[in-house]
Amino acid sequence: MRLRLWICILVAGFLLYHAIEQFYLGTAGLAGWFSLFWFAFCLLVIGGNLSLLLTNRKRVLRNPTEWRTKEESTVSERGRARL
């Protein structure tokens, strides 16, 4: 998963590097709005991937449809009462 996050960050950075010379942020109209939203979306992609990369939570698969963190799974297993 970490490799996928790094690849996404690098691809977004590469696209931003090549698109920066085509931006028309100072102009009014459709080209200016498109450039502004594209730049904001690219920064959101980079920021989201960096936030996932910097959080160091290990996930445990308990149920195929439900992911829990390791801390949540140990707490819920300790809290069960056996009858």
Side-chain angles (χ1 to χ4, degrees):
M1 182 168 156
R2 284 190 164 309
L3 182 62
R4 182 186 62 86
L5 293 173
W6 278 111
I7 289 172
C8 288
I9 290 170
L10 290 175
V11 167
F14 177 76
L15 290 174
L16 183 64
Y17 174 75
H18 282 288
I20 199 81
E21 61 192 30
Q22 301 295 325
F23 282 161
Y24 299 107
L25 293 176
T27 62
L30 189 59
W33 284 106
F34 177 79
S35 298
L36 180 69
F37 284 117
W38 195 94
F39 184 69
F41 181 69
C42 188
L43 290 180
L44 281 174
V45 168
I46 291 173
N49 284 314
L50 276 177
S51 69
L52 278 175
L53 192 63
L54 294 176
T55 56
N56 194 11
R57 299 170 76 182
K58 297 188 180 191
R59 296 182 180 233
V60 176
L61 179 64
R62 181 171 190 191
N63 206 348
T65 59
E66 181 181 356
W67 284 91
R68 290 187 176 197
T69 60
K70 189 174 182 180
E71 293 83 17
E72 290 173 350
S73 65
T74 55
V75 169
S76 65
E77 288 173 4
R78 284 187 211 151
R80 288 188 200 158
R82 299 201 181 235
L83 300 175

